[in-house]
Amino acid sequence: MDILRTPLNDVVVVKTSQTTDARGAFARLFCEESLKPHVQGRRIVQINFSHTRQAGAIRGLHYQTAPYAEMKLIRCIRGKVWDVVVDLRKDSGTFLHWHAEELTPSNGHMLIVPEGFAHGFQVLEPASEMLYLHTAPYMPSAEGGLAYNDPRLAIDWPLPPTDISTADRQRSTIPPDFTGLSL
């Protein structure tokens, strides 16, 4: 596993490799020992899966607040997605900056998104599937979200948005007095 830094502090890309032979392929999706410096003693307590049918669909931007803030390890296991993280940490040097990575099974990239970041993605190929490893259980009362089209973020989605949930379409833009999340 190779660790690739991103412009956002504490957000890293984990590049894994796949071994192939006549039978098919094998890849390590998670290794506690290799990721120890980044996971830092957190435990994976929940694993989620998503399947999105339509290219252009956007899921997110979602986060959880303390005490249910979570680190996510995110991997595309089928198709292709444009995965976006937004730094919401109070007093961060990259506050309200975003970063995106293309995730595909073939590039073997997994994104580690620490607590205090919003996460979302746009599907670039139909029938894309994602696997999420979480360090905190989902708690509806701690759920937060950002408008995918917030002008303050100015995320440059690669495709025209085609399919967005009602909840994500109704997200408010970031208030001018928002100073960030305390963890």
Side-chain angles (χ1 to χ4, degrees):
M1 295 184 152
D2 294 325
I3 306 299
L4 310 172
R5 301 273 175 224
T6 71
L8 301 181
N9 293 335
D10 302 321
V11 175
V12 296
V13 174
V14 179
K15 185 174 183 183
T16 60
S17 59
Q18 183 171 269
T19 304
T20 59
D21 62 21
R23 299 168 295 167
F26 173 85
R28 182 180 304 176
L29 299 182
F30 178 81
C31 178
E32 182 179 31
E33 187 62 31
S34 296
L35 298 176
K36 190 181 286 187
H38 305 284
V39 176
Q40 299 178 348
R42 297 173 186 96
R43 294 180 358 185
I44 302 302
V45 299
Q46 185 171 309
I47 300 175
N48 295 328
F49 165 85
S50 71
H51 173 89
T52 307
R53 291 183 180 93
Q54 189 176 60
I58 294 175
R59 291 184 184 259
L61 302 154
H62 305 143
Y63 61 92
Q64 285 197 167
T65 57
Y68 297 100
E70 61 187 346
M71 172 181 270
K72 297 178 187 176
L73 290 78
I74 301 157
R75 178 181 292 271
C76 179
I77 58 174
R78 181 178 179 200
K80 183 190 303 186
V81 303
W82 198 68
D83 209 73
V84 177
V85 295
V86 178
D87 190 347
L88 300 178
R89 299 171 300 170
K90 187 179 190 108
D91 301 323
S92 169
T94 55
F95 177 64
L96 294 185
H97 291 207
W98 61 271
H99 176 75
E101 288 285 330
E102 186 174 278
L103 303 181
T104 69
S106 61
N107 73 14
H109 290 184
M110 174 173 60
L111 197 60
I112 296 181
V113 182
E115 299 88 341
F117 286 80
H119 167 258
F121 64 90
Q122 184 174 48
V123 173
L124 302 178
E125 289 183 1
S128 289
E129 297 179 349
M130 301 285 285
L131 190 66
Y132 314 75
L133 288 73
H134 300 260
T135 61
Y138 173 68
M139 186 60 59
S141 62
E143 182 181 5
L146 306 176
Y148 73 94
N149 58 354
D150 191 318
R152 192 164 171 193
L153 298 175
I155 296 173
D156 188 19
W157 299 100
L159 299 176
T162 58
D163 189 17
I164 300 161
S165 74
T166 300
D168 287 342
R169 276 195 319 269
Q170 294 175 348
R171 301 265 183 212
S172 299
T173 57
I174 300 167
D177 60 347
F178 179 65
T179 59
L181 300 176
S182 298
L183 300 177

